[in-house]
Amino acid sequence: MNKALRPNQILRLLFWETTIKCNLTCAHCRRLESDEAAFKDLSTDQAKNLIEQLAELGSGQPMMPVLVFSGGEPLCRDDLFELVGQAREAGITPALATNGTLIDAAVAQQIKDSGIVRIAVSLDGATAEVHNKLRQLEGSFERALVGIKHLREKDLSVQINITLTKHNAEQLEEVYELAKSLGAVAVHIFMLVPVGCGQVLAETDMLSPEQYEQKMLEVCRLDRRGELQMKVTCGPHYERIIRQQGLYQERKKPSHISGSVPGRTGHGGPTRGCLAGLGVLFVGHQGDVFPCGYLPVKCGNVLRQTLSEIWQGNKDLGRMRTSSSLEGKCGICGYREVCGGCRGRAYAATGNYMAEEPFCAYIPPEATH
């Protein structure tokens, strides 16, 4: 184990875009390529090498990273369960991010048998009308609910993901209640980042900074109920809000909520809202490595360098780990160590990933002096 590692150098989550293929064409998707580009996906042997690289990196840390099999739609990949099995054998915890529409009883059994510990299913609304409009396929809501039902019948741990837009923001509590009724253990709220197809959607459906602030206060109220595990992704200012609302201290108390939570920090790690380059990495379907799935700053490629070399040696990742490099109001904000602003939205707005978060309504007192 490398005892010289600092907490912000410990990789906790690796998101792997297993394939560019998907059976949906969601309006807010980060992908730009079509299914025709699937021939560029990592081969089985290349994917196995990626898993070996991750295991090697993890062996030098206090913990082994969680590997999230994402996409596209990972269930479109024929060798998915073979690769999940390899990850398990290497001591890596596997999780799955899916749209849920391809899960029948047989697939749910395969998922259970494979040892996947958490399945994140995307629901972008509490009703078919709202969800199907964003997913751009009639029936996708109903099929996702059927998929979740099959997963729960196998007693699998299900997490609901929702990407907030103007189109569905008013259904946040309804989605929360739906998640409870479905037997989910967690709700993860994603704040829209204008990359991929989301660039077009952002022009009409991006919440304003003030609306984000109100939505995160609503998330805080739901989080305080202690009924489901709650996490805000790509909304790092939530770490400021839970402190302002006193929820951070409450979270430190023992909770009746149980189960592992892919996505939460732990093991003495950072609580900073934006974990791009800190606890998180994203590997694209061709092996390119990025700080996260929403920040298109290429840091290397696993076919030419090892994950360890990229994680420990890339200059962009190193810069993102240093809050003193933040610019604008983020650079002087008293919450910069726990928030950090979304580097993806900063990059989309300015081309500079260290610029201030453009969708934060908070004005640091330091900025008025």
Side-chain angles (χ1 to χ4, degrees), residues 17 27 92 167 188 224 233 240 261 273 328 364:
E17 184 182 41
I92 297 167
H167 187 65
H188 285 204
R224 185 170 266 124
T233 298
R240 162 180 57 82
V261 191

Side-chain angles (χ1 to χ4, degrees), residues 118-119 121 123 148 152 156-162 171-189 218-232 238 242 247 250-251 253 255-262 264:
R118 170 71 63 85
I119 303 94
V121 180
L123 288 181
I148 292 169
R152 291 301 301 130
L156 287 161
S157 177
V158 175
Q159 162 187 316
I160 301 302
N161 289 352
I162 174 172
Q171 289 198 335
L172 178 57
E173 185 166 1
E174 292 175 62
V175 170
Y176 177 92
E177 293 296 341
L178 176 60
K180 277 173 52 184
S181 72
L182 292 170
V185 298
V187 175
H188 285 204
I189 298 99
E218 185 178 343
V219 173
C220 189
R221 289 192 291 272
L222 294 172
D223 198 352
R224 185 170 266 124
R225 295 182 187 177
E227 301 166 323
L228 296 172
Q229 298 159 346
M230 302 287 287
K231 184 176 183 294
V232 178
Y238 188 63
I242 63 172
L247 180 60
E250 293 175 28
R251 275 183 168 181
K253 299 173 184 176
S255 171
H256 67 277
I257 298 174
S258 62
S260 61
V261 191
R264 279 210 193 280

Side-chain angles (χ1 to χ4, degrees), residues 36-112:
E36 285 68 41
F39 73 92
K40 300 177 184 176
D41 291 346
L42 294 184
S43 68
T44 299
D45 287 343
Q46 289 170 335
K48 287 183 174 181
N49 183 256
L50 167 62
I51 293 168
E52 289 172 5
Q53 289 183 36
L54 183 60
E56 182 183 1
L57 188 158
S59 68
Q61 298 187 156
M63 60 170 288
M64 190 64 76
V66 172
L67 175 56
V68 181
F69 290 82
S70 183
E73 171 50 57
L75 290 171
C76 289
R77 185 164 177 133
D78 294 338
D79 59 0
L80 175 68
F81 294 109
E82 179 184 352
L83 298 173
V84 170
Q86 188 197 353
R88 290 275 299 177
E89 288 177 13
I92 297 167
T93 300
L96 180 69
T98 172
N99 61 47
T101 62
L102 300 178
I103 299 174
D104 57 17
V107 172
Q109 187 62 53
Q110 280 185 290
I111 292 171
K112 184 177 180 66

Side-chain angles (χ1 to χ4, degrees), residues 139-174:
S140 59
F141 180 73
E142 295 84 354
R143 287 165 60 188
L145 293 189
V146 170
I148 292 169
K149 180 174 177 286
H150 286 304
L151 293 170
R152 291 301 301 130
E153 286 174 349
K154 304 298 181 185
D155 199 30
L156 287 161
S157 177
V158 175
Q159 162 187 316
I160 301 302
N161 289 352
I162 174 172
T163 299
L164 278 191
T165 67
K166 287 180 182 177
H167 187 65
N168 63 14
E170 295 309 310
Q171 289 198 335
L172 178 57
E173 185 166 1
E174 292 175 62

Side-chain angles (χ1 to χ4, degrees), residues 188-257:
H188 285 204
I189 298 99
F190 288 70
M191 300 301 186
L192 184 64
V193 181
V195 295
C197 300
Q199 285 178 297
V200 176
L201 186 67
E203 295 177 9
T204 57
D205 246 28
M206 196 95 170
L207 296 173
S208 69
E210 293 74 24
Q211 288 169 326
Y212 269 130
E213 193 82 1
Q214 290 306 309
K215 283 294 118 182
M216 283 191 277
L217 285 169
E218 185 178 343
V219 173
C220 189
R221 289 192 291 272
L222 294 172
D223 198 352
R224 185 170 266 124
R225 295 182 187 177
E227 301 166 323
L228 296 172
Q229 298 159 346
M230 302 287 287
K231 184 176 183 294
V232 178
T233 298
C234 302
H237 11 326
Y238 188 63
E239 292 295 332
R240 162 180 57 82
I241 287 172
I242 63 172
R243 286 163 174 80
Q244 291 174 325
Q245 299 296 314
L247 180 60
Y248 181 69
Q249 291 302 320
E250 293 175 28
R251 275 183 168 181
K252 289 183 174 181
K253 299 173 184 176
S255 171
H256 67 277
I257 298 174

Side-chain angles (χ1 to χ4, degrees), residues 201-355:
L201 186 67
E203 295 177 9
T204 57
D205 246 28
M206 196 95 170
L207 296 173
S208 69
E210 293 74 24
Q211 288 169 326
Y212 269 130
E213 193 82 1
Q214 290 306 309
K215 283 294 118 182
M216 283 191 277
L217 285 169
E218 185 178 343
V219 173
C220 189
R221 289 192 291 272
L222 294 172
D223 198 352
R224 185 170 266 124
R225 295 182 187 177
E227 301 166 323
L228 296 172
Q229 298 159 346
M230 302 287 287
K231 184 176 183 294
V232 178
T233 298
C234 302
H237 11 326
Y238 188 63
E239 292 295 332
R240 162 180 57 82
I241 287 172
I242 63 172
R243 286 163 174 80
Q244 291 174 325
Q245 299 296 314
L247 180 60
Y248 181 69
Q249 291 302 320
E250 293 175 28
R251 275 183 168 181
K252 289 183 174 181
K253 299 173 184 176
S255 171
H256 67 277
I257 298 174
S258 62
S260 61
V261 191
R264 279 210 193 280
T265 57
H267 303 272
T271 57
R272 204 170 100 179
C274 181
L275 292 176
L278 279 82
V280 167
L281 267 186
F282 180 90
V283 177
H285 76 111
Q286 299 183 64
D288 292 328
V289 179
F290 303 93
C292 80
Y294 304 99
L295 180 50
V297 174
K298 186 176 171 180
C299 300
N301 186 291
V302 296
L303 301 181
R304 293 184 284 277
Q305 299 163 272
T306 67
L307 271 177
S308 293
E309 290 170 343
I310 296 167
W311 179 248
Q312 294 166 12
N314 181 264
K315 291 181 180 179
D316 289 308
L317 295 176
R319 191 178 177 209
M320 290 175 203
R321 293 173 188 142
T322 309
S323 60
S324 60
S325 297
L326 292 169
E327 300 174 12
K329 69 178 182 180
C330 286
I332 59 172
C333 182
Y335 291 102
R336 64 185 176 274
E337 295 289 344
V338 296
C339 171
C342 174
R343 299 301 97 218
R345 279 194 293 272
Y347 184 82
T350 68
N352 172 12
Y353 58 74
M354 297 309 290

